[in-house]
Amino acid sequence: MRGKFITLEGMDGAGKSTHIPDIIKLLESKGVEVTSTREPGGTALGEQLRVLLLNEAMHPETETLLMFAARREHIAKVIEPALARGAWVLSDRFTDATYAYQSGGRGVSATKVIELESWVQADLQPDLTLLFDVPVSVSVERLASARAPDKFERESSEFFTKIRNAYLDRAKNNPNRFRIVNSNQALDDVKLEVKKIILTV
Ligand code: TYD
């Protein structure tokens, strides 16, 4: 049987990555094989593209095209083979991030993103997307005390406001696969919310 595809999304500083080890354990306790991966990245080539994407200034459409180039490789080499053999794939970000950052944040036309999405993904879509949501002020405060920021993490509150709104729009328009996790509460409470969601898939 084909595996399920779960993605984690949210603004920088929303704290999604903290939950990955717990989610893997929960899924494994259901007896499934888990392939944990991330975007941009997930393959040797994708990780090289990630270094460029997170460090080099570039035209917003170049950024979009490179995100999808890394994604094409990721789908072909990692995501599809895993799902086909019945493994569940957990990806730290996927195409919703391109809608949020490149379209919402940088202003690339959504029509162009839709075209690239259908070219690169055909009908591949996540079965479940957890959107870790926090107010922009909280995310900006968390980023200020974090390690050396990358290109995206150095952006302004205005940029993060656009990202958050674009993510919330995605969730509203895709209610069947999105679950919004309130990340603006004590970590144990966030963990409980995540656990409830994961145990119902
Ligand atoms: P992130 O997932 O936050 O990794 P880390 O936790 O190691 O900082 O970093 C990836 C960055 O890439 C993040 O700022 C969002 C950005 N990104 C896009 O702009 N578009 C995309 O399509 C993807 C997948 C990521």
mmCIF file of all heavy atoms in Angstrom, residues 9-13 16-17 38-40 50 53-54 63 67 71 92-99 101-102 106 147 150 152-153 159-160 167, ligand 1:
data_model
loop_
_atom_site.group_PDB
_atom_site.id
_atom_site.type_symbol
_atom_site.label_atom_id
_atom_site.label_comp_id
_atom_site.label_asym_id
_atom_site.label_seq_id
_atom_site.Cartn_x
_atom_site.Cartn_y
_atom_site.Cartn_z
ATOM 1 N N GLU A 9 4.829 23.075 7.874
ATOM 2 C CA GLU A 9 4.999 24.431 7.346
ATOM 3 C C GLU A 9 4.883 25.456 8.465
ATOM 4 O O GLU A 9 4.411 25.148 9.556
ATOM 5 C CB GLU A 9 3.919 24.726 6.280
ATOM 6 C CG GLU A 9 3.935 23.809 5.064
ATOM 7 C CD GLU A 9 5.070 24.119 4.071
ATOM 8 O OE1 GLU A 9 5.829 25.090 4.285
ATOM 9 O OE2 GLU A 9 5.193 23.377 3.088
ATOM 10 N N GLY A 10 5.290 26.670 8.148
ATOM 11 C CA GLY A 10 5.178 27.770 9.110
ATOM 12 C C GLY A 10 6.280 28.778 8.849
ATOM 13 O O GLY A 10 7.272 28.465 8.186
ATOM 14 N N MET A 11 6.084 29.973 9.395
ATOM 15 C CA MET A 11 7.107 31.009 9.247
ATOM 16 C C MET A 11 8.382 30.579 9.944
ATOM 17 O O MET A 11 8.332 29.771 10.873
ATOM 18 C CB MET A 11 6.671 32.261 10.018
ATOM 19 C CG MET A 11 5.724 33.134 9.332
ATOM 20 S SD MET A 11 5.515 34.582 10.385
ATOM 21 C CE MET A 11 4.597 33.935 11.737
ATOM 22 N N ASP A 12 9.493 31.201 9.576
ATOM 23 C CA ASP A 12 10.717 31.021 10.347
ATOM 24 C C ASP A 12 10.398 31.440 11.776
ATOM 25 O O ASP A 12 9.716 32.442 11.996
ATOM 26 C CB ASP A 12 11.820 31.935 9.786
ATOM 27 C CG ASP A 12 12.167 31.575 8.360
ATOM 28 O OD1 ASP A 12 12.994 30.692 8.171
ATOM 29 O OD2 ASP A 12 11.572 32.186 7.441
ATOM 30 N N GLY A 13 10.887 30.660 12.740
ATOM 31 C CA GLY A 13 10.641 31.023 14.140
ATOM 32 C C GLY A 13 9.346 30.465 14.690
ATOM 33 O O GLY A 13 9.034 30.647 15.865
ATOM 34 N N LYS A 16 8.555 24.739 14.040
ATOM 35 C CA LYS A 16 8.121 23.432 13.508
ATOM 36 C C LYS A 16 9.178 22.340 13.646
ATOM 37 O O LYS A 16 8.835 21.196 13.958
ATOM 38 C CB LYS A 16 7.645 23.556 12.062
ATOM 39 C CG LYS A 16 8.754 23.909 11.121
ATOM 40 C CD LYS A 16 8.292 24.177 9.709
ATOM 41 C CE LYS A 16 9.360 24.924 8.950
ATOM 42 N NZ LYS A 16 10.760 24.515 9.141
ATOM 43 N N SER A 17 10.456 22.695 13.414
ATOM 44 C CA SER A 17 11.500 21.660 13.369
ATOM 45 C C SER A 17 11.682 20.937 14.703
ATOM 46 O O SER A 17 12.066 19.763 14.736
ATOM 47 C CB SER A 17 12.831 22.261 12.914
ATOM 48 O OG SER A 17 12.622 23.001 11.739
ATOM 49 N N ARG A 38 13.635 17.198 3.954
ATOM 50 C CA ARG A 38 13.351 18.635 4.048
ATOM 51 C C ARG A 38 13.509 19.329 2.710
ATOM 52 O O ARG A 38 14.153 18.820 1.795
ATOM 53 C CB ARG A 38 14.295 19.282 5.053
ATOM 54 C CG ARG A 38 15.753 19.333 4.575
ATOM 55 C CD ARG A 38 16.562 20.207 5.488
ATOM 56 N NE ARG A 38 17.976 20.277 5.075
ATOM 57 C CZ ARG A 38 18.892 20.972 5.716
ATOM 58 N NH1 ARG A 38 18.567 21.643 6.816
ATOM 59 N NH2 ARG A 38 20.144 21.003 5.293
ATOM 60 N N GLU A 39 12.918 20.521 2.642
ATOM 61 C CA GLU A 39 13.068 21.381 1.459
ATOM 62 C C GLU A 39 13.414 22.797 1.884
ATOM 63 O O GLU A 39 12.932 23.240 2.932
ATOM 64 C CB GLU A 39 11.766 21.404 0.649
ATOM 65 C CG GLU A 39 11.503 20.100 -0.066
ATOM 66 C CD GLU A 39 10.625 20.280 -1.300
ATOM 67 O OE1 GLU A 39 10.052 21.375 -1.489
ATOM 68 O OE2 GLU A 39 10.518 19.325 -2.060
ATOM 69 N N PRO A 40 14.170 23.577 1.089
ATOM 70 C CA PRO A 40 14.869 23.016 -0.057
ATOM 71 C C PRO A 40 15.944 22.043 0.414
ATOM 72 O O PRO A 40 16.556 22.264 1.458
ATOM 73 C CB PRO A 40 15.491 24.240 -0.748
ATOM 74 C CG PRO A 40 15.528 25.316 0.298
ATOM 75 C CD PRO A 40 14.418 25.022 1.242
ATOM 76 N N ARG A 50 20.138 24.352 -1.868
ATOM 77 C CA ARG A 50 19.738 24.998 -0.613
ATOM 78 C C ARG A 50 20.774 26.041 -0.168
ATOM 79 O O ARG A 50 20.421 27.140 0.264
ATOM 80 C CB ARG A 50 19.558 23.943 0.489
ATOM 81 C CG ARG A 50 19.135 24.532 1.828
ATOM 82 C CD ARG A 50 19.077 23.456 2.918
ATOM 83 N NE ARG A 50 18.768 24.027 4.211
ATOM 84 C CZ ARG A 50 17.540 24.098 4.743
ATOM 85 N NH1 ARG A 50 16.511 23.609 4.093
ATOM 86 N NH2 ARG A 50 17.351 24.665 5.922
ATOM 87 N N LEU A 53 20.223 29.009 -2.275
ATOM 88 C CA LEU A 53 18.936 29.649 -1.989
ATOM 89 C C LEU A 53 18.931 30.402 -0.661
ATOM 90 O O LEU A 53 18.298 31.444 -0.535
ATOM 91 C CB LEU A 53 17.821 28.596 -1.996
ATOM 92 C CG LEU A 53 17.375 28.171 -3.399
ATOM 93 C CD1 LEU A 53 16.650 26.831 -3.370
ATOM 94 C CD2 LEU A 53 16.477 29.258 -4.004
ATOM 95 N N LEU A 54 19.619 29.858 0.326
ATOM 96 C CA LEU A 54 19.584 30.470 1.662
ATOM 97 C C LEU A 54 20.651 31.547 1.860
ATOM 98 O O LEU A 54 20.653 32.232 2.879
ATOM 99 C CB LEU A 54 19.723 29.402 2.757
ATOM 100 C CG LEU A 54 18.382 28.856 3.303
ATOM 101 C CD1 LEU A 54 17.466 28.378 2.216
ATOM 102 C CD2 LEU A 54 18.600 27.779 4.344
ATOM 103 N N GLU A 63 14.632 32.391 -7.779
ATOM 104 C CA GLU A 63 14.459 31.692 -6.498
ATOM 105 C C GLU A 63 13.349 30.633 -6.620
ATOM 106 O O GLU A 63 13.498 29.496 -6.165
ATOM 107 C CB GLU A 63 14.100 32.742 -5.444
ATOM 108 C CG GLU A 63 14.315 32.314 -4.015
ATOM 109 C CD GLU A 63 14.089 33.500 -3.077
ATOM 110 O OE1 GLU A 63 12.921 33.757 -2.714
ATOM 111 O OE2 GLU A 63 15.071 34.170 -2.727
ATOM 112 N N MET A 67 13.787 26.571 -6.392
ATOM 113 C CA MET A 67 13.010 25.796 -5.412
ATOM 114 C C MET A 67 12.369 24.597 -6.115
ATOM 115 O O MET A 67 12.402 23.475 -5.618
ATOM 116 C CB MET A 67 11.893 26.636 -4.771
ATOM 117 C CG MET A 67 12.357 27.707 -3.809
ATOM 118 S SD MET A 67 13.046 27.013 -2.298
ATOM 119 C CE MET A 67 13.577 28.527 -1.478
ATOM 120 N N ARG A 71 12.960 20.604 -5.904
ATOM 121 C CA ARG A 71 11.776 19.783 -5.611
ATOM 122 C C ARG A 71 11.622 18.654 -6.628
ATOM 123 O O ARG A 71 11.253 17.532 -6.252
ATOM 124 C CB ARG A 71 10.545 20.710 -5.614
ATOM 125 C CG ARG A 71 9.242 20.036 -5.217
ATOM 126 C CD ARG A 71 8.214 21.097 -4.846
ATOM 127 N NE ARG A 71 8.643 21.852 -3.684
ATOM 128 C CZ ARG A 71 8.579 23.191 -3.570
ATOM 129 N NH1 ARG A 71 8.051 23.925 -4.528
ATOM 130 N NH2 ARG A 71 9.038 23.786 -2.476
ATOM 131 N N ASP A 92 9.947 18.526 6.041
ATOM 132 C CA ASP A 92 10.036 19.841 6.664
ATOM 133 C C ASP A 92 9.979 20.846 5.510
ATOM 134 O O ASP A 92 10.984 21.090 4.864
ATOM 135 C CB ASP A 92 11.359 19.921 7.444
ATOM 136 C CG ASP A 92 11.475 21.172 8.292
ATOM 137 O OD1 ASP A 92 10.622 22.071 8.153
ATOM 138 O OD2 ASP A 92 12.429 21.253 9.089
ATOM 139 N N ARG A 93 8.798 21.335 5.207
ATOM 140 C CA ARG A 93 8.441 22.237 4.095
ATOM 141 C C ARG A 93 8.273 21.502 2.769
ATOM 142 O O ARG A 93 8.936 20.523 2.477
ATOM 143 C CB ARG A 93 9.461 23.362 3.888
ATOM 144 C CG ARG A 93 9.620 24.280 5.096
ATOM 145 C CD ARG A 93 10.395 25.539 4.680
ATOM 146 N NE ARG A 93 10.715 26.367 5.829
ATOM 147 C CZ ARG A 93 9.855 27.201 6.406
ATOM 148 N NH1 ARG A 93 8.642 27.322 5.932
ATOM 149 N NH2 ARG A 93 10.220 27.925 7.451
ATOM 150 N N PHE A 94 7.371 22.094 1.960
ATOM 151 C CA PHE A 94 7.130 21.640 0.584
ATOM 152 C C PHE A 94 6.523 22.825 -0.173
ATOM 153 O O PHE A 94 6.798 23.983 0.166
ATOM 154 C CB PHE A 94 6.228 20.376 0.613
ATOM 155 C CG PHE A 94 6.123 19.624 -0.682
ATOM 156 C CD1 PHE A 94 7.246 19.054 -1.278
ATOM 157 C CD2 PHE A 94 4.894 19.474 -1.330
ATOM 158 C CE1 PHE A 94 7.146 18.357 -2.483
ATOM 159 C CE2 PHE A 94 4.783 18.778 -2.531
ATOM 160 C CZ PHE A 94 5.906 18.218 -3.103
ATOM 161 N N THR A 95 5.674 22.578 -1.148
ATOM 162 C CA THR A 95 5.245 23.642 -2.074
ATOM 163 C C THR A 95 4.446 24.774 -1.421
ATOM 164 O O THR A 95 4.454 25.903 -1.917
ATOM 165 C CB THR A 95 4.436 23.005 -3.227
ATOM 166 O OG1 THR A 95 5.284 22.011 -3.799
ATOM 167 C CG2 THR A 95 4.048 23.998 -4.289
ATOM 168 N N ASP A 96 3.759 24.506 -0.308
ATOM 169 C CA ASP A 96 3.053 25.611 0.365
ATOM 170 C C ASP A 96 4.045 26.718 0.730
ATOM 171 O O ASP A 96 3.680 27.895 0.763
ATOM 172 C CB ASP A 96 2.337 25.115 1.629
ATOM 173 C CG ASP A 96 1.205 24.155 1.278
ATOM 174 O OD1 ASP A 96 0.337 24.531 0.460
ATOM 175 O OD2 ASP A 96 1.213 23.021 1.801
ATOM 176 N N ALA A 97 5.313 26.334 1.008
ATOM 177 C CA ALA A 97 6.332 27.338 1.337
ATOM 178 C C ALA A 97 6.634 28.229 0.135
ATOM 179 O O ALA A 97 6.919 29.417 0.284
ATOM 180 C CB ALA A 97 7.613 26.663 1.836
ATOM 181 N N THR A 98 6.557 27.671 -1.070
ATOM 182 C CA THR A 98 6.795 28.494 -2.264
ATOM 183 C C THR A 98 5.649 29.489 -2.454
ATOM 184 O O THR A 98 5.867 30.648 -2.802
ATOM 185 C CB THR A 98 6.945 27.606 -3.523
ATOM 186 O OG1 THR A 98 7.840 26.541 -3.223
ATOM 187 C CG2 THR A 98 7.477 28.403 -4.694
ATOM 188 N N TYR A 99 4.415 29.022 -2.211
ATOM 189 C CA TYR A 99 3.275 29.958 -2.271
ATOM 190 C C TYR A 99 3.437 31.053 -1.216
ATOM 191 O O TYR A 99 3.148 32.221 -1.458
ATOM 192 C CB TYR A 99 1.952 29.218 -2.052
ATOM 193 C CG TYR A 99 1.468 28.480 -3.275
ATOM 194 C CD1 TYR A 99 1.657 27.111 -3.408
ATOM 195 C CD2 TYR A 99 0.829 29.167 -4.314
ATOM 196 C CE1 TYR A 99 1.216 26.432 -4.537
ATOM 197 C CE2 TYR A 99 0.381 28.495 -5.445
ATOM 198 C CZ TYR A 99 0.580 27.136 -5.549
ATOM 199 O OH TYR A 99 0.146 26.475 -6.673
ATOM 200 N N TYR A 101 6.350 32.057 0.589
ATOM 201 C CA TYR A 101 7.553 32.908 0.524
ATOM 202 C C TYR A 101 7.741 33.582 -0.835
ATOM 203 O O TYR A 101 7.943 34.787 -0.901
ATOM 204 C CB TYR A 101 8.807 32.094 0.878
ATOM 205 C CG TYR A 101 8.963 31.824 2.358
ATOM 206 C CD1 TYR A 101 8.208 30.822 2.977
ATOM 207 C CD2 TYR A 101 9.840 32.558 3.142
ATOM 208 C CE1 TYR A 101 8.336 30.559 4.332
ATOM 209 C CE2 TYR A 101 9.977 32.303 4.503
ATOM 210 C CZ TYR A 101 9.234 31.310 5.095
ATOM 211 O OH TYR A 101 9.364 31.063 6.435
ATOM 212 N N GLN A 102 7.731 32.779 -1.912
ATOM 213 C CA GLN A 102 8.045 33.386 -3.211
ATOM 214 C C GLN A 102 6.838 34.158 -3.768
ATOM 215 O O GLN A 102 7.017 35.237 -4.319
ATOM 216 C CB GLN A 102 8.503 32.310 -4.212
ATOM 217 C CG GLN A 102 9.968 31.917 -4.046
ATOM 218 C CD GLN A 102 10.286 31.235 -2.728
ATOM 219 O OE1 GLN A 102 9.615 30.273 -2.352
ATOM 220 N NE2 GLN A 102 11.277 31.745 -2.008
ATOM 221 N N ARG A 106 7.540 37.466 -1.860
ATOM 222 C CA ARG A 106 8.326 38.169 -2.895
ATOM 223 C C ARG A 106 7.482 38.693 -4.040
ATOM 224 O O ARG A 106 8.000 39.388 -4.925
ATOM 225 C CB ARG A 106 9.376 37.229 -3.492
ATOM 226 C CG ARG A 106 10.312 36.570 -2.494
ATOM 227 C CD ARG A 106 11.654 37.254 -2.492
ATOM 228 N NE ARG A 106 12.665 36.450 -1.854
ATOM 229 C CZ ARG A 106 13.244 36.787 -0.694
ATOM 230 N NH1 ARG A 106 12.886 37.897 -0.060
ATOM 231 N NH2 ARG A 106 14.185 36.030 -0.182
ATOM 232 N N ARG A 147 20.475 31.429 16.332
ATOM 233 C CA ARG A 147 21.811 31.405 15.719
ATOM 234 C C ARG A 147 21.873 32.323 14.495
ATOM 235 O O ARG A 147 20.875 32.931 14.135
ATOM 236 C CB ARG A 147 22.116 29.969 15.318
ATOM 237 C CG ARG A 147 20.931 29.434 14.491
ATOM 238 C CD ARG A 147 21.118 28.095 13.959
ATOM 239 N NE ARG A 147 19.980 27.570 13.223
ATOM 240 C CZ ARG A 147 19.097 28.223 12.488
ATOM 241 N NH1 ARG A 147 19.155 29.524 12.369
ATOM 242 N NH2 ARG A 147 18.130 27.595 11.847
ATOM 243 N N ASP A 150 19.791 33.145 8.294
ATOM 244 C CA ASP A 150 20.039 33.034 6.856
ATOM 245 C C ASP A 150 19.318 34.171 6.131
ATOM 246 O O ASP A 150 18.718 35.045 6.763
ATOM 247 C CB ASP A 150 19.646 31.629 6.332
ATOM 248 C CG ASP A 150 18.150 31.337 6.469
ATOM 249 O OD1 ASP A 150 17.333 32.261 6.262
ATOM 250 O OD2 ASP A 150 17.796 30.178 6.779
ATOM 251 N N PHE A 152 16.530 34.419 4.487
ATOM 252 C CA PHE A 152 15.100 34.610 4.760
ATOM 253 C C PHE A 152 14.881 35.121 6.184
ATOM 254 O O PHE A 152 14.029 35.967 6.431
ATOM 255 C CB PHE A 152 14.326 33.304 4.539
ATOM 256 C CG PHE A 152 14.308 32.876 3.104
ATOM 257 C CD1 PHE A 152 15.175 31.892 2.639
ATOM 258 C CD2 PHE A 152 13.437 33.475 2.199
ATOM 259 C CE1 PHE A 152 15.169 31.506 1.303
ATOM 260 C CE2 PHE A 152 13.422 33.097 0.862
ATOM 261 C CZ PHE A 152 14.291 32.105 0.412
ATOM 262 N N GLU A 153 15.666 34.588 7.109
ATOM 263 C CA GLU A 153 15.488 34.958 8.519
ATOM 264 C C GLU A 153 15.884 36.413 8.795
ATOM 265 O O GLU A 153 15.522 36.960 9.829
ATOM 266 C CB GLU A 153 16.297 33.999 9.411
ATOM 267 C CG GLU A 153 15.699 32.590 9.402
ATOM 268 C CD GLU A 153 16.635 31.522 9.936
ATOM 269 O OE1 GLU A 153 17.846 31.781 10.068
ATOM 270 O OE2 GLU A 153 16.148 30.417 10.203
ATOM 271 N N PHE A 159 7.639 41.470 5.720
ATOM 272 C CA PHE A 159 7.785 40.256 4.913
ATOM 273 C C PHE A 159 7.120 39.080 5.632
ATOM 274 O O PHE A 159 6.329 38.341 5.043
ATOM 275 C CB PHE A 159 9.284 39.986 4.683
ATOM 276 C CG PHE A 159 9.592 38.781 3.825
ATOM 277 C CD1 PHE A 159 9.489 38.843 2.438
ATOM 278 C CD2 PHE A 159 10.021 37.581 4.400
ATOM 279 C CE1 PHE A 159 9.793 37.733 1.642
ATOM 280 C CE2 PHE A 159 10.319 36.473 3.614
ATOM 281 C CZ PHE A 159 10.213 36.549 2.230
ATOM 282 N N PHE A 160 7.389 38.927 6.940
ATOM 283 C CA PHE A 160 6.825 37.791 7.681
ATOM 284 C C PHE A 160 5.295 37.878 7.803
ATOM 285 O O PHE A 160 4.617 36.860 7.859
ATOM 286 C CB PHE A 160 7.490 37.642 9.047
ATOM 287 C CG PHE A 160 8.900 37.115 8.944
ATOM 288 C CD1 PHE A 160 9.975 37.868 9.378
ATOM 289 C CD2 PHE A 160 9.148 35.878 8.362
ATOM 290 C CE1 PHE A 160 11.280 37.379 9.246
ATOM 291 C CE2 PHE A 160 10.437 35.378 8.228
ATOM 292 C CZ PHE A 160 11.503 36.138 8.665
ATOM 293 N N TYR A 167 0.208 31.755 4.185
ATOM 294 C CA TYR A 167 0.022 30.407 4.744
ATOM 295 C C TYR A 167 -1.421 30.216 5.232
ATOM 296 O O TYR A 167 -2.028 29.171 4.982
ATOM 297 C CB TYR A 167 0.971 30.176 5.921
ATOM 298 C CG TYR A 167 2.288 29.517 5.570
ATOM 299 C CD1 TYR A 167 3.489 30.023 6.069
ATOM 300 C CD2 TYR A 167 2.345 28.362 4.778
ATOM 301 C CE1 TYR A 167 4.709 29.409 5.778
ATOM 302 C CE2 TYR A 167 3.550 27.751 4.486
ATOM 303 C CZ TYR A 167 4.730 28.276 4.986
ATOM 304 O OH TYR A 167 5.919 27.661 4.697
HETATM 305 P P1 TYD B 1 13.875 26.306 7.356
HETATM 306 O O1 TYD B 1 12.967 25.239 6.881
HETATM 307 O O2 TYD B 1 13.298 27.329 8.242
HETATM 308 O O3 TYD B 1 15.154 25.604 7.921
HETATM 309 P P2 TYD B 1 15.926 25.921 9.270
HETATM 310 O O4 TYD B 1 14.961 25.496 10.332
HETATM 311 O O5 TYD B 1 17.130 25.055 9.133
HETATM 312 O O6 TYD B 1 16.226 27.397 9.246
HETATM 313 O O7 TYD B 1 14.614 27.094 6.158
HETATM 314 C C1 TYD B 1 14.292 27.037 4.881
HETATM 315 C C2 TYD B 1 14.057 28.426 4.327
HETATM 316 O O8 TYD B 1 13.707 28.317 2.961
HETATM 317 C C3 TYD B 1 12.914 29.144 5.018
HETATM 318 O O9 TYD B 1 13.297 30.463 5.346
HETATM 319 C C4 TYD B 1 11.829 29.223 3.969
HETATM 320 C C5 TYD B 1 12.561 29.088 2.676
HETATM 321 N N1 TYD B 1 11.773 28.413 1.618
HETATM 322 C C6 TYD B 1 11.209 29.186 0.614
HETATM 323 O O10 TYD B 1 11.370 30.417 0.602
HETATM 324 N N2 TYD B 1 10.489 28.576 -0.377
HETATM 325 C C7 TYD B 1 10.303 27.224 -0.430
HETATM 326 O O11 TYD B 1 9.646 26.699 -1.350
HETATM 327 C C8 TYD B 1 10.894 26.430 0.621
HETATM 328 C C9 TYD B 1 10.725 24.940 0.601
HETATM 329 C C10 TYD B 1 11.613 27.073 1.629
#
